[in-house]
Amino acid sequence: MEVERFYDDQDPEETREWLEAFASVVEREGIDRARFLLEKLSETARRTGVNLSSLNTPYLNTIDVKHEAPLPGDLFMERRIRSLIRWNALAMVMRANASDDELGGHIATFASSATLYDVGFNHFFRAPNDSFGGDLVYYQGHSAPGIYARSFLEGRITEQQLENFRREVGGKGLSSYPHPWLMPDYWQFPTVSMGLGPIMSIYQAHFMKYLTNRGFIKDEGRKVWAFLGDGEMDEPESLGAIGLAGREKLDNLIYVINCNLQRLDGPVRGNGKIIQELESIFRGAGWNVIKVVWGRKWDPLLARDEHGVLRQRMEECVDGEYQAFKNHGGAYTREHFFGKYPELKEMVAHLSDDEIFELNRGGHDPYKVFAAYHAAVNHKGQPTVILAKTVKGYGTGAGEAANKAHQLKKLDKSELRAFRDKFNVPFADDELDRLPFFRPHDDSPEVRYLRERRESLGGYLPVRRKESKPLPLPALSAFAPVLEGSDKPISTTMAFVRVLNILVKQQGLGERIVPIVPDEARTFGMEGMFRQLGIYSNVGQLYTPEDRDQIMYYREDVKGQILEEGINEAGAMSAWIAAGTAYSMHDEPMIPFFIFYSMFGFQRIGDLAWAAGDSRARGFLIGATSGRTTLNGEGLQHEDGHSHVLASTVPNCVAYDPAYGYELAVIIQDGLRRMYGENESVFYYITTLNENYAQPAMPAGCEEGILRGLYLLKEAAPLATKTVQLIGAGAILREVEAAAEILAEVFGVRANVWSATSLNELRKEALEAQHWNLLHPLEEPRLPWVTQQLRGTRGPIVAATDYLKIHSEQIRAFLPGRTYYTLGTDGFGRSDSREQLRHFFEVNRYFIVIAALTALADDGEVGRSVVDDAIRRFGINPEKPYPPRV
């Protein structure tokens, strides 16, 4: 039966003429002219109804053999070094799992990507030094053992540290994955969990262009490299921002996607081709795509493929088949790949089964990888993605291309011997049980070569800068217009805008303020900054905005200061992380303020907030229109009653819920001191409100209490014998103040009012004191701030916030043995007025009064009938259902 060929041609002679004519254009007039003609032909084809259905190119290497840049250096020495790195990475993981501890680790990922990293380290990754800012490299998280193993050969990591891989508690170990928090001199970026590296690297490149266009850093041709997995690309964050990179022509960005065709459980696309799928996606988003599919051992076969049968077979096979070919060996591949067509079987008749097995994939061929990297770093006007085909678990024997390869932690004795032999590691059989590390002496050819390569590229990587240049920081008095209050009702969101306006006018500091908004500037009253600061655009403004004749028109500028990131909280947060780590990546401390609907902050980008903490990012997150009862009318999806609970999960996130503008000013001024004066690796989350009310002037002497989380706002006159302590925060503080007046005027109860600017900080400090007391039984106990403030008072305590009750419950253990009631907004939000919502969630002044009276009744200070009378007086239905159940 005649086989229908993929490359069948009804008129080969005509086709040959077209191809020869095109080749002549390329030869005589150059690639640009050839590209122009192709684009014109494509445009004509579409107009005449001939649609090109695919963005794909053939399943071949993008760079033809004759156009490959030659690989410099000593190939044999580099293979020797790469083999030692492979061995030490393997030994490190196996040692971590040799005991009953079973500490985990990953062998297969680095086994598949060792060549991808090795070529980069030897020829492309440039380190920061006094004369150059350095490239930025996002390492695929599961490949960390290989990066450590290279640093070990370089003499930067000790054998003791390798022995303590994943044993960090003793202080001599190595973190499981890239974690700047745990290794602040070494790792720059956290890249686990998967999907965060891709989006963060895009916005890192985006922010690098921002800094260049605004004149903070020179255009030195620095690159952002991101090493990613093909399975990782299914994460929404991985592909969600590639359009930005294409649109802004981020030619400082290079993705290297390790296409080993496998994810944790099995094939990434068993029934398709992940490389072809990703090619069409990236090409459609405006990226330069370089495919590195086949190693140079395939080149002679492809050169003999006159009729395209081999190329057809390459196109026919799906990834599940390619996985089986590599897993089952050369004889299987001969039968099932080459054996389908007689011509192919004859093509490899001269090859042994072992030689067929050794037909290498592109990502394992340093020649092909170097050519791809060389093309990528020299490409202008587009970001580049390199799709490198590799084998998961390369060299591990039975684990090679197996579905279970990701879980591989150990090799058996025979596999270990085979690994040793394949990579020529100098250990005898009787030494293998010890899993010894191997490092040549400092004067060996291998170590000398390593050092020479890195010296030629500026130094060693990974490396991270911990501190940066000092900034001139404003005194608290600079915020006098906010500290003095306002009789005109304004929201704390507007107070924040005033603080921001003060900051951008500070000499030597203002230009470093980076306002970031996800398309909500008008919501927050920030549109006045459009014209004042400009909105960053990499091309400036190519149109006249329709509101050009207005004072607050929409002004885009290549030197614009505002990052308007669109309806994209994850992208805006990634930009914030890039700005918040600029002190480390660029030695340029920037002060980012990311302003967003508080409901769409931690709830939507919680994983990125965790990564920000790990990254040691510095800056301010502003959760505007916060509180479950404050954003009236918007309803269930918009009303935030839990962001502070979520913020409390990030250890170095300093969270505040201020009620008044002066509190906000004190917090921001001190945050600047801590982050940019003292170089503390913390970041701030501050919630602001959209409810307008008069802003009082700052009371004398309250600054310390504001910063520590609690201060006495209003002390009641000592007239009544019955006393309660009322704690309020944020949106509900004014309800607490009103409740205090009712208690005094109607019930004769003396109520002190406390402003809790940060229940989270109160708890952190209290836990720290508790920890110290636990371990110092013979010392004078340390008293937490919340205990100090309330222990000299009388009466029960009631706390009310616009957040879940658990938010105020977190300080219960540290209160001085008093009856304690908490009011909060548990349950789903809903649309209505603030008055109705606060009644529904039972956090208004009347429920605060009832809680205070109930607490007094519990203490025997008043009768239960007083509480019952109050419920009736306030018209509250005793059968009112519990809000979370409604």
Side-chain angles (χ1 to χ4, degrees):
M1 164 176 161
E2 182 67 22
V3 178
E4 182 181 351
R5 300 300 188 209
F6 182 80
Y7 288 89
D8 278 350
D9 191 339
Q10 295 177 355
D11 192 342
E13 187 61 34
E14 181 184 30
T15 302
R16 187 176 298 109
E17 291 174 3
W18 276 91
L19 294 176
E20 288 174 352
F22 182 74
S24 177
V25 171
V26 173
E27 182 180 349
R28 296 185 179 185
E29 301 183 51
I31 291 175
D32 290 341
R33 174 63 179 165
R35 183 184 296 112
F36 173 80
L37 290 175
L38 284 178
E39 289 173 351
K40 284 297 181 183
L41 280 172
S42 178
E43 181 183 325
T44 303
R46 285 194 298 270
R47 284 204 308 268
T48 56
V50 180
N51 292 317
L52 303 176
S53 59
S54 175
L55 290 168
N56 283 125
T57 59
Y59 196 58
L60 298 168
N61 294 345
T62 300
I63 302 173
D64 190 82
V65 175
K66 60 179 176 291
H67 295 138
E68 291 175 358
L71 174 64
D74 185 335
L75 173 67
F76 297 101
M77 180 59 71
E78 291 187 14
R79 187 187 188 281
R80 167 72 173 156
I81 292 168
R82 187 161 59 249
S83 296
L84 295 179
I85 292 171
R86 287 181 182 278
W87 173 265
N88 288 328
L90 173 69
M92 187 190 326
V93 175
M94 289 186 64
R95 283 191 179 201
N97 292 276
S99 68
D100 293 337
D101 291 337
E102 293 286 341
L103 295 172
H106 300 274
I107 295 171
T109 296
F110 182 72
S112 67
S113 58
T115 302
L116 300 177
Y117 287 112
D118 194 54
V119 172
F121 276 114
N122 286 332
H123 302 286
F124 292 97
F125 302 160
R126 297 165 297 176
N129 53 52
D130 293 340
S131 59
F132 181 72
D135 294 330
L136 305 178
V137 185
Y138 288 75
Y139 303 93
Q140 191 178 359
H142 294 102
S143 67
I147 310 304
Y148 292 139
R150 184 181 185 90
S151 293
F152 171 62
L153 288 190
E154 293 169 338
R156 303 175 61 218
I157 283 178
T158 67
E159 183 168 334
Q160 183 183 37
Q161 287 176 291
L162 294 192
E163 288 172 350
N164 284 286
F165 173 58
R166 293 193 169 212
R167 297 181 185 276
E168 300 175 80
V169 172
K172 298 176 182 178
L174 299 172
S175 63
S176 53
Y177 302 116
H179 291 300
W181 185 260
L182 300 173
M183 298 178 66
D185 298 314
Y186 190 81
W187 294 118
Q188 289 183 299
F189 309 107
T191 52
V192 175
S193 61
M194 288 185 287
L196 299 191
I199 192 170
M200 289 193 298
S201 63
I202 287 176
Y203 282 89
Q204 188 67 246
H206 166 63
F207 194 71
M208 187 185 290
K209 293 282 189 179
Y210 169 93
L211 290 176
T212 302
N213 286 327
R214 292 196 59 215
F216 283 100
I217 61 175
K218 295 183 295 184
D219 186 357
E220 303 176 291
R222 296 168 65 195
K223 301 294 182 183
V224 177
W225 295 79
F227 285 80
L228 315 168
D230 49 357
E232 180 178 14
M233 302 315 289
D234 283 340
E235 292 282 0
E237 297 92 340
S238 295
L239 296 175
I242 64 171
L244 167 75
R247 184 170 66 249
E248 294 201 349
K249 300 178 173 58
L250 298 180
D251 52 12
N252 59 337
L253 175 64
I254 300 171
Y255 270 15
V256 181
I257 302 182
N258 176 18
C259 297
N260 58 36
L261 313 187
Q262 291 181 238
R263 52 190 176 202
L264 276 68
D265 290 337
V268 178
R269 294 291 184 274
N271 297 309
K273 283 189 175 72
I274 187 60
I275 287 179
Q276 299 298 84
E277 179 182 323
L278 291 174
E279 177 190 25
S280 64
I281 291 170
F282 279 96
R283 198 179 296 282
W287 288 54
N288 173 44
V289 181
I290 300 175
K291 295 192 294 190
V292 186
V293 185
W294 309 108
R296 67 189 183 281
K297 293 182 181 180
W298 286 90
D299 289 344
L301 299 180
L302 286 165
R304 293 167 52 197
D305 186 33
E306 295 180 5
H307 301 290
V309 184
L310 177 57
R311 283 170 283 173
Q312 176 183 338
R313 186 71 181 116
M314 289 171 167
E315 296 284 351
E316 290 173 350
C317 291
V318 295
D319 285 352
E321 292 177 289
Y322 281 116
Q323 183 183 353
F325 297 148
K326 188 52 68 175
N327 180 263
H328 295 318
Y332 181 93
T333 304
R334 183 190 300 275
E335 178 183 355
H336 294 278
F337 180 79
F338 293 104
K340 182 172 182 180
Y341 300 128
E343 301 97 319
L344 292 185
K345 192 169 185 178
E346 177 61 27
M347 184 183 286
V348 297
H350 66 292
L351 298 179
S352 68
D353 289 345
D354 287 343
E355 287 173 321
I356 288 176
F357 181 75
E358 290 299 324
L359 290 171
N360 55 342
R361 293 182 180 177
H364 296 298
D365 190 321
Y367 288 90
K368 303 297 184 182
V369 173
F370 179 88
Y373 287 6
H374 184 272
V377 297
N378 288 287
H379 188 78
K380 304 297 182 186
Q382 288 176 294
T384 292
V385 58
I386 296 168
L387 304 173
K389 189 175 183 180
T390 64
V391 179
K392 188 142 190 173
Y394 178 76
T396 59
E400 193 164 326
N403 278 334
K404 63 182 181 181
H406 189 80
Q407 279 72 33
L408 187 66
K409 316 294 182 192
K410 302 176 183 178
L411 303 187
D412 63 28
K413 192 67 172 286
S414 63
E415 290 170 336
L416 199 59
R417 283 197 299 267
F419 190 97
R420 175 203 61 189
D421 294 343
K422 181 178 180 67
F423 297 112
N424 300 312
V425 183
F427 291 120
D429 286 357
D430 59 0
E431 295 179 281
L432 295 182
D433 287 337
R434 294 190 296 107
L435 293 168
F437 297 120
F438 184 81
R439 182 178 185 272
H441 60 81
D442 282 349
D443 198 37
S444 66
E446 295 91 344
V447 173
R448 287 204 310 269
Y449 187 86
L450 270 174
R451 289 176 174 168
E452 288 168 4
R453 294 311 310 145
R454 288 316 309 164
E455 286 170 5
S456 71
L457 292 165
Y460 292 109
L461 289 172
V463 67
R464 182 183 176 279
R465 178 187 294 108
K466 291 198 295 185
E467 296 183 0
S468 185
K469 63 188 72 171
L471 297 180
L473 300 176
L476 185 58
S477 58
F479 302 95
V482 179
L483 299 174
E484 292 166 1
S486 169
D487 291 333
K488 178 184 176 181
I490 64 168
S491 66
T492 52
T493 298
M494 283 310 302
F496 163 72
V497 174
R498 292 183 178 182
V499 168
L500 201 58
N501 271 302
I502 291 169
L503 287 173
V504 298
K505 294 173 184 175
Q506 295 293 305
Q507 188 72 28
L509 184 78
E511 66 272 14
R512 295 182 179 274
I513 304 297
V514 185
I516 303 172
V517 287
D519 202 38
E520 290 282 5
R522 296 183 192 277
T523 303
F524 308 138
M526 296 175 60
E527 63 269 34
M529 291 186 172
F530 288 167
R531 180 173 181 175
Q532 176 190 357
L533 302 180
I535 299 162
Y536 172 73
S537 164
N538 68 306
V539 296
Q541 193 156 33
L542 306 179
Y543 64 97
T544 301
E546 62 83 19
D547 57 356
R548 179 63 180 82
D549 57 345
Q550 299 178 19
I551 294 175
M552 296 183 288
Y553 75 92
Y554 196 86
R555 182 174 73 86
E556 297 188 71
D557 194 308
V558 73
K559 294 184 178 295
Q561 195 163 345
I562 299 171
L563 285 173
E564 173 74 80
E565 300 295 8
I567 306 173
N568 180 6
E569 284 83 3
M573 184 64 184
S574 297
W576 183 89
I577 292 172
T581 55
Y583 73 94
S584 178
M585 307 307 152
H586 311 287
D587 198 18
E588 291 292 344
M590 307 300 286
I591 307 173
F593 286 86
F594 173 24
I595 309 97
F596 51 88
Y597 260 104
S598 66
M599 185 66 161
F600 303 140
F602 279 86
Q603 176 164 298
R604 180 164 287 189
I605 51 85
D607 210 3
L608 283 164
W610 187 260
D614 192 349
S615 299
R616 296 174 174 262
R618 299 168 186 173
F620 297 89
L621 302 177
I622 307 297
T625 59
S626 67
R628 184 143 289 165
T629 69
T630 305
L631 187 61
N632 55 328
E634 287 294 328
L636 184 150
Q637 187 58 48
H638 285 65
E639 292 172 350
D640 164 36
H642 51 276
S643 67
H644 277 284
V645 176
L646 299 177
S648 71
T649 64
V650 183
N652 56 340
C653 175
V654 182
Y656 286 96
D657 184 26
Y660 292 123
Y662 68 81
E663 295 177 339
L664 182 68
V666 169
I667 291 162
I668 290 177
Q669 190 269 342
D670 194 65
L672 291 170
R673 177 192 64 81
R674 290 180 63 181
M675 293 184 287
Y676 298 94
E678 304 298 326
N679 281 306
E680 280 193 60
S681 292
V682 297
F683 68 94
Y684 276 60
Y685 175 57
I686 305 172
T687 44
T688 63
L689 313 171
N690 71 332
E691 183 176 3
N692 294 324
Y693 45 81
Q695 297 288 332
M698 183 172 72
C702 67
E703 292 95 323
E704 183 181 12
I706 291 172
L707 297 175
R708 299 187 72 168
L710 183 72
Y711 69 98
L712 182 60
L713 176 65
K714 292 181 179 179
E715 185 173 12
L719 301 176
T721 57
K722 298 180 288 292
T723 303
V724 295
Q725 310 299 321
L726 303 183
I727 299 174
I732 304 303
L733 178 60
R734 294 173 68 251
E735 293 293 328
V736 168
E737 293 180 75
E741 294 178 4
I742 295 171
L743 284 167
E745 295 171 4
V746 178
F747 297 97
V749 174
R750 179 174 180 257
N752 293 325
V753 175
W754 300 80
S755 175
T757 51
S758 182
L759 291 160
N760 287 2
E761 288 301 295
L762 290 175
R763 174 180 176 271
K764 285 182 189 177
E765 190 258 357
L767 288 175
E768 190 170 353
Q770 185 182 66
H771 166 76
W772 192 92
N773 294 339
L774 181 70
L775 299 180
H776 297 81
L778 302 180
E779 304 284 345
E780 182 73 22
R782 292 180 179 177
L783 288 179
W785 178 260
V786 64
T787 310
Q788 293 178 42
Q789 297 305 296
L790 291 167
R791 69 171 179 166
T793 65
R794 293 174 43 236
I797 303 167
V798 176
T801 76
D802 218 6
Y803 293 86
L804 302 178
K805 290 183 179 181
I806 197 171
H807 183 48
S808 47
E809 283 288 340
Q810 66 183 316
I811 63 170
R812 179 183 291 273
F814 311 105
L815 299 177
R818 237 86 67 66
T819 301
Y820 182 51
Y821 273 77
T822 59
L823 303 181
T825 54
D826 295 56
F828 285 120
R830 57 204 62 216
S831 301
D832 215 311
S833 67
R834 295 185 184 108
E835 181 181 5
Q836 289 295 329
L837 289 172
R838 288 170 184 169
H839 174 81
F840 174 81
F841 283 107
E842 302 174 5
V843 292
N844 66 11
R845 61 198 65 184
Y846 305 114
F847 278 97
I848 296 168
V849 169
I850 290 169
L853 295 174
T854 301
L856 287 167
D858 290 348
D859 289 352
E861 295 289 321
V862 301
R864 299 285 176 186
S865 61
V866 175
V867 183
D868 186 64
D869 289 344
I871 292 171
R872 297 177 187 280
R873 174 191 289 270
F874 299 143
I876 295 172
N877 179 5
E879 305 306 318
K880 180 181 180 296
Y882 180 50
R885 297 208 178 267
V886 179

